[in-house]
Amino acid sequence: MRRNDLQLLQGTLDMLVLKGLTFGPRHGYAVARWIREQTDGTLDIEDGALYTALHRMEKRGWLASEWGTSENNRRAKYYALTDEGRRQLEANARSWRLYADAVFQVLEAGEAPA
Amino acid sequence: MTRSKDRRRRSSHRRSSRNLFAGIRRRFHLPDLERDVDDELAFHFERTVEELTAQGLSPSEARAEARRRFGDESRYRRELERLDRRTTLLRRWKERLAALGWDLGYSCRRLGRSPALGLGVVLTLALGLGANATMFGILDRLLLQPPAHVAEPEAVRRIAVERRPREGFERVVSQGMSYPDIRDFQAAGSFSRVAAYTRQNLVLGRGADAAPVSAVLASGEYFQMLGVQPVVGRLFGPADDRAGAPGVAVLSHHFWQRSFDGDRSVIGRTVDFGHGPYEVVGIAPPGFTGVDLERIDIWLSLQTAGQDLRGERWREARNWYWIYAVARLAPGVAVEQAEAEATALHLIGRREQIEAEIYDPEAEVEALPLITARGPLASGESWVARWLAGVSLVVLLIACANVANLLLARTLHRRREFGIRLALGIPRLRLLRQVLIESFLLAILAGAAALLTTRWLGQILRTTLLPDVAWTDPSVTARVAWVSLGLCVLAGLLTGILPGLQASRPGLIGALKAGAGTVCRPGTRTRNTLTVLQTALSVVLLVGAGLFVRSLHGVRSIDLGFDPDGLLLVEPVYDGSPPDAQRKELHRLASERLPKVPGVERVTSSMSVPFWSANSVYLEIPGVDPIPRLPTGTPILHAVAPDYFATLGLQMRRGRPFTPGDHDGPRRVAVVSETMARLVWPDGDVLGKCLEIAKTPCTEVVGVVEDAGMMSLFESEVMQYYIPLSQSPSGDPPEALLVRVGRAGEGPDPDTVVTALRRELLTLDPDLRYAEILPLTERIDPQARSWRLGATLFTLFGVLALIVAAMGLYSVLAFAVTQRTQEIGIRSALGADRKNLVGLVLGQALRLVAVGVAIGLGAVWVAAPKLEPLLYRTPARDLWILGSVAAVLLLTALLAGSLPAWRATRLDPTIALRAE
């Protein structure tokens, strides 16, 4: 992901991260891996950008974090959705869908009537 | 990862060390942030590398791939730390706010549970804060703020001359000067502009519509020099103010609203004072009062108005000290430099008089600050106001001591609660804060109450005590509100800190083990000290009140020779300047007709009227050369109509008053005042002596009349002599009528009499436009104003202080009785009778107050001499006043102690002993 794409896609990245947390609290590595698996690596998101998104949303109160012990007994920071985060995800997803539908409608439209 | 482990150990150590200041330290350091980011990323890299090696990459390839996938690590790390820092800070503020909100809610609930105490505290503090808000508002106007709308006010200076009025006299500073003097100053390069102005009361309109207005005659430079901008039209300038030019006028905003309903079409119209029309050219901004603080209605161009009101000579006469100068310093010119240049110019301008030895060759020009109260011309009122501002702070201090005392008592009641909370590990700071929040809450409530009261009470106080100042601002301005807020915070701190420290004392945990009746009574000494402090401060205020009341009484009982109460001064106002004969005829008619108006007892008129005008003429006395001189000047000549002495109520000491024959006949007769008789003819042989008045032939002295006040309540001695009006050497008409009506509260309503008098007078001469009628007391009272101000407010504040102190004392005693329930029970069980118990409580009251009185009197003894210049013939260490105040306080102590003492005697020993 190039630097100049960052702004364009920041909202999208936030949405993906929020979605990744809807299944329960996860640490950053698990979120990164989940996104990569879901997209088959199509979106080459830098892990650093992903962590930035996590911390930023924590600051905004969309996420809550807690230190816990990982599967292999190591100290790891777990993130969980807050109610506000859940609301944000729903709102973002809705508008993203509307936007995408609109774009697809244009792209798949037939020839314009003369 | 050794690095992060190491840090972890340190921080856990840090966490374990809990003390009072841990909270403060946490506030400034954000520890563990870097470590957390370290740990999180370390975990991420480890897992990524594990995953990649599992996919078959070599460890070094896996590490490189993990780094590639992560992106610019140092940049992201910085970003993450930045975000975390803000997250932490944000969270901390939220927590703090929540805790504060909880404490605030807790305080509110607590206050709600004891509304009486809360109300008492709020009222007490509101008294103190209200007194301060009011006094600050007054002081702000008099001393701190320059007159409104003046641009760069520090560069505007009042020009005054310091000189000896006569050989052998003290030097005095005076703003009054002649117009040519001001012309001299206009040549000075040190000033960018010099303006001339003088106050004048005029009458606008005629007949029933006539109304007195307060006018300023201002030179063309006046508005430009002050840098003021009009709200409508324009302000007149040098181009308008030329000799022979038509008169122009500027209205004050207030006057425009009041008399013209703010109608803009007033511009271009003319106003008439009976001397030809003045065109209204503009309206001054609201609140503009020129360089002084008095309310002004209208400004007139000096060149035309001077001519109209003062005649031809005003531009040249060097011996008329009637006009003031204000100047703006040229940029970069120091005050001393300007004064030196102006002094040089002044002495050149005054050369002729100096050579004729009638002007002080050592006269010095001073460029005084625009704010009069900051210069040597400060009024007595402004000095008293400064003292009163200090006094209001003392009132606040007393109120704070009292409230601290009340809150302290409550803290002691709540010892167990605080003890439990300390034992539960609630930090001391939190407890201290809890108590402070309560006191701040109370102080803020009190501040709000104080500002509300100040809004109307302050308004009433300042307009009655300082009626000359145009109080255009509301009594609560933003500045007053800010200062009050500051004082609120101070009051909250002062009242909360002692109870707060008491509440958070670790020793309170011990309170859990014992009941309230233990021998140790923490806080008692603090409470006693506060009571003593209140008493001492009340003593100081009451002594101040006593001194001022005594001064005012002294001023009020100054014997003027005549009784000003019920004496009206009536000045006829004409259209233009009628001939003297017409004026004389009016006075003659008035003396016939006005006594018939109901409520009027006697009518006379005079040239030279006490507290109004004084004339003297060239006088020679055969056989007496030179005539003795007094600081008050040469003898003052009164040319009086019949009935003058009787109207004023002046008693003859020797000889006879004037008879109708004297007023009509050709024989020249005079009556002299006691002082003049004593000084001119020390041997007492007065009657039959000869006065040569204004080079006329001999006038025979036929009587001696008692001394009458002339221009000031405080003048030492004045020589005065009287002749019948018909014999006046100048032939000038009298200046005013003097009408004796019933004393205030007797006979018809004074306003009715005034209206009837004016109506009757206006029928006597069609050229009359108006009659200015005012009680003579209005001319005299302003001279007593500073004492009245001091006496009223010192007494008000002193009584407030006394009440507050008495309440404080009562609460201390009542609390002591509760605290000593057990002891008292034992005593009465052992056979102590009521007398002993009453003595026990009252003894404590008297001891506390006696110590306070002693300290207060000591303070007064040291400080009072500084107050002495503001007093009137009252020694600052007046033993009678000191004694009375001490007695009042001891009496208060007995009163405050009586209820708790009574309660002590009513305690049932068996119940008392069982009390916890």
Side-chain angles (χ1 to χ4, degrees), chain B residues 590-629:
Chain B
S591 65
E592 278 175 17
R593 304 272 288 275
L594 294 189
K596 297 196 177 79
V597 173
V600 172
E601 291 170 4
R602 288 173 187 279
V603 176
T604 188
S605 45
S606 168
M607 193 190 80
S608 290
V609 181
F611 294 90
W612 179 261
S613 65
N615 297 279
S616 56
V617 297
Y618 183 74
L619 177 69
E620 274 182 286
I621 303 175
V624 183
D625 190 36
I627 298 173
R629 279 194 147 179

Side-chain angles (χ1 to χ4, degrees), chain B residues 811-824:
Chain B
S811 87
V812 166
L813 295 172
F815 185 66
V817 169
T818 324
Q819 261 192 334
R820 292 164 81 177
T821 302
Q822 219 169 24
E823 178 198 331
I824 291 168

Side-chain angles (χ1 to χ4, degrees), chain A residues 38-105:
Chain A
Q38 296 308 309
T39 60
D40 295 329
T42 320
L43 297 178
D44 187 13
I45 300 169
E46 283 185 351
D47 292 337
L50 187 121
Y51 276 97
T52 311
L54 283 168
H55 284 234
R56 188 176 52 237
M57 288 192 285
E58 185 188 1
K59 190 187 80 167
R60 287 185 190 155
W62 299 359
L63 302 181
S65 75
E66 198 179 342
W67 286 90
T69 316
S70 74
E71 316 76 271
N72 51 2
N73 248 340
R74 275 210 295 270
R75 203 171 104 92
K77 193 176 177 188
Y78 281 80
Y79 295 88
L81 277 184
T82 62
D83 290 344
E84 174 62 17
R86 220 173 285 280
R87 268 195 298 280
Q88 286 295 332
L89 174 61
E90 278 165 25
N92 280 355
R94 202 167 33 244
S95 59
W96 176 259
R97 238 175 232 123
L98 282 172
Y99 173 73
D101 284 352
V103 173
F104 278 123
Q105 258 175 24

Side-chain angles (χ1 to χ4, degrees), chain B residues 189-409:
Chain B
S190 307
F191 300 125
S192 60
R193 276 201 177 90
V194 180
Y197 78 100
T198 183
R199 278 283 309 277
Q200 177 101 33
N201 289 324
L202 296 171
V203 174
L204 184 68
R206 54 175 301 135
D209 300 329
V213 293
S214 122
V216 162
L217 278 49
S219 70
E221 297 83 11
Y222 187 78
F223 294 110
Q224 291 182 343
M225 192 272 301
L226 295 178
V228 56
Q229 298 302 322
V231 284
V232 180
R234 62 188 183 84
L235 304 175
F236 59 75
D240 303 286
D241 188 37
R242 284 171 290 107
V248 285
V250 167
L251 307 183
S252 80
H253 192 267
H254 173 82
F255 182 64
W256 178 52
Q257 293 293 335
R258 196 188 61 197
S259 302
F260 299 95
D261 289 329
D263 179 5
R264 284 169 175 262
S265 72
V266 73
I267 306 295
R269 276 199 251 162
T270 58
V271 287
D272 190 4
F273 303 95
H275 297 275
Y278 286 77
E279 185 193 339
V280 176
V281 294
I283 313 293
F288 177 72
T289 55
V291 294
D292 297 313
L293 300 176
E294 290 87 9
R295 194 185 289 292
I296 302 298
D297 296 320
I298 190 162
W299 287 267
L300 303 174
S301 53
L302 175 66
Q303 294 296 332
T304 319
Q307 185 93 10
D308 285 346
L309 298 164
R310 299 270 165 167
E312 290 293 340
R313 285 192 55 221
W314 71 274
R315 282 193 195 84
E316 281 79 39
R318 282 260 183 201
N319 58 345
W320 293 7
Y321 298 91
W322 63 293
I323 197 163
Y324 292 1
V326 273
R328 185 178 286 279
L329 293 173
V333 173
V335 172
E336 299 73 33
Q337 193 184 340
E339 286 175 339
E341 188 188 6
T343 301
L345 290 168
H346 185 59
L347 294 179
I348 294 170
R350 285 276 179 181
R351 185 183 288 154
E352 268 180 47
Q353 279 100 340
I354 290 170
E355 279 168 4
E357 294 185 4
I358 52 173
Y359 199 80
D360 185 357
E362 286 165 6
E364 277 177 46
V365 177
E366 295 186 355
L368 305 175
L370 180 58
I371 299 174
T372 321
R374 289 190 188 167
L377 300 169
S379 62
E381 288 100 303
S382 73
W383 278 106
V384 173
R386 284 182 214 205
W387 273 88
L388 287 170
V391 164
S392 63
L393 277 178
V394 173
V395 172
L396 181 61
L397 219 56
I398 294 175
C400 284
N402 195 25
V403 169
N405 228 336
L406 284 172
L407 295 181
L408 200 57

